[in-house]
Structure formats: C-alpha cells, structure tokens
Amino acid sequence: GAGVSQSPSNKVTEKGKDVELRCDPISGHTALYWYRQSLGQGLEFLIYFQGNSAPDKSGLPSDRFSAERTGGSVSTLTIQRTQQEDSAVYLCASSLQGAITEAFFGQGTRLTVV
Amino acid sequence: DAKTTQPPSMDCAEGRAANLPCNHSTISGNEYVYWYRQIHSQGPQYIIHGLKNNETNEMASLIITEDRKSSTLILPHATLRDTAVYYCIVRVAEYGNKLVFGAGTILRVKS
C-alpha cells in the first residue's frame, strides 16, 4: 500500500484477554516504531525495530507487552492479560532508514479494555 | 538525545504567520532539529528538519539560531486546518536512533 496500515482500527476487549495489533509498514522501510497515546496525552515510545539489529524495547511498560517484526516487514504488538490502563491508541510508524529520514505514521488502533 | 522546551499552547489568527519556538540549549553538534505535528485523531505528520541552516519547504520554514540553542517553526499563513499539536525533537541522525516525542505545543488557529 501507499502508507502505513494498521489493523484493526478499533478493538474492544475484556480485561485479562490477550490482543494482537498489526502494522504493515511502507514497503522498503527498514525502521518501524510503535507508540502508545492515552486520551489527552502525548506519544509514549514503546519499541523500535531497525533493520536486522536487535530491537530497542526500552519503552515497553511491562512484560505483558511484546512485539515482533517478521521478515523485516509486518509487525505485531501483543498485549497479554490486558488491563484497563492499556486502553489507548496504538500508533505504528515506519521510515526508510530510521535516522534522518522522516517517519510515516498509520492511523492507529484504538484499544478499549472493558 | 538533547531535551527540548516548548510552550504548552499558542493562539494564532487565521491568515497570519504562526511562529512556534523551541529551546534546545543542550543540543550537540551532530543533532538535527525535527518538527512533527499531530492533528486531532490522526497520526503525527513530518513537517521539516534541519541541522544549522534555515530550511523551507511547502509546509513551513525552520529558523535555527546561530548557536543552535533554539529554533522557530514558521507557518507563513496559518489556516484553521493547522490547528494541531506541534512537536520539536532533536536527535542524532544515525542509523538505529529512535524517535522520541515530548509534550509539544498546542497551536490553536482562530478565525
């Protein structure tokens, strides 16, 4: 596709359930980011994939959060045993090289934990 | 990466220039200044970046002071659609360096 695609656009889940959020980056982009944005708050960095390097997981808030990037393309963010405080918009971005090049963002997945 | 300081909010009249300041007094010589914005309910959008020279593109101009300790993003003719949160970020343009956002400035363009 022409841009970063995220799915689903909206997800409602029950507390304690696991969820998977998907990000399809722009083709050829080697860098991929995940961010979280709670209502009325700023963007919280979660994890960063750059090429074949080990991902920067320094922003993951707990061990319930994990992410994979398969084949250097599609990424999945998994949240296990969801809590109400996990409710937020989860944004994915990709960039050509992850350095000076601009990052392109998807429209996000709105996660609501009830 | 160096930290940035931005005013929490600003107002601008429609059609006038919007000048958004950013302080980055601890910026290092190899750190670039980037600007992004986030319009309500959308993902952030890249605007412009620069190292030490002033930059201009179709969206905005970036003015960086000679000592590089501060910069100003200029939207020459603000419209209502420019109402957004504007983020100033400094980062080393190196392979493997992540992009981290601060609190930003809420710009409200008013008619």
Side-chain angles (χ1 to χ4, degrees):
Chain A
V4 177
S5 177
Q6 292 187 246
S7 60
S9 54
N10 282 283
K11 175 72 175 178
V12 180
T13 189
E14 292 182 352
K15 179 181 174 182
K17 300 283 189 182
D18 297 352
V19 294
E20 287 189 351
L21 312 180
R22 178 186 170 105
C23 173
D24 283 273
I26 293 173
S27 178
H29 280 193
T30 62
L32 188 146
Y33 306 83
W34 282 98
Y35 296 87
R36 176 170 72 174
Q37 190 167 35
S38 301
L39 187 63
Q41 302 299 309
L43 288 118
E44 177 186 5
F45 166 79
L46 296 177
I47 189 169
Y48 168 47
F49 295 91
Q50 174 62 70
N52 295 321
S53 303
D56 182 336
K57 304 180 182 180
S58 59
L60 294 178
S62 76
D63 58 8
R64 295 187 296 107
F65 288 73
S66 63
E68 290 184 341
R69 189 176 184 192
T70 54
S73 181
V74 172
S75 178
T76 302
L77 177 70
T78 301
I79 308 173
Q80 296 178 310
R81 305 181 302 281
T82 52
Q83 304 294 315
Q84 287 187 327
E85 59 263 28
D86 298 335
S87 296
V89 175
Y90 289 81
L91 289 157
C92 174
S94 72
S95 65
L96 192 57
Q97 292 181 10
I100 193 171
T101 53
E102 64 179 284
F104 295 84
F105 281 78
Q107 290 303 301
T109 293
R110 181 174 298 279
L111 175 66
T112 304
V113 182
V114 297
Chain B
D1 287 344
K3 292 183 178 179
T4 62
T5 304
Q6 298 178 253
S9 66
M10 293 181 61
D11 291 340
C12 177
E14 188 179 20
R16 304 296 294 268
N19 298 285
L20 294 100
C22 180
N23 286 322
H24 31 80
S25 58
T26 59
I27 193 170
S28 300
N30 59 348
E31 288 182 312
Y32 285 72
V33 180
Y34 291 78
W35 284 84
Y36 282 76
R37 73 178 182 183
Q38 186 175 24
I39 296 171
H40 182 62
S41 298
Q42 296 182 22
Q45 175 191 25
Y46 165 85
I47 301 174
I48 199 167
H49 75 275
L51 182 61
K52 52 184 176 182
N53 297 323
N54 297 337
E55 302 288 344
T56 295
N57 63 20
E58 66 278 4
M59 289 183 67
S61 294
L62 174 61
I63 308 298
I64 303 174
T65 57
E66 192 169 343
D67 63 7
R68 302 207 326 120
K69 294 185 177 182
S70 65
S71 60
T72 301
L73 179 74
I74 301 172
L75 307 178
H77 305 287
T79 71
L80 297 178
R81 290 178 297 178
D82 292 322
T83 293
V85 180
Y86 287 78
Y87 297 98
C88 171
I89 302 163
V90 294
R91 65 195 289 240
V92 178
E94 285 181 354
Y95 188 85
N97 194 18
K98 65 194 179 196
L99 183 63
V100 177
F101 291 80
T105 295
I106 299 171
L107 175 69
R108 300 183 187 90
V109 181
K110 300 182 176 182
S111 58

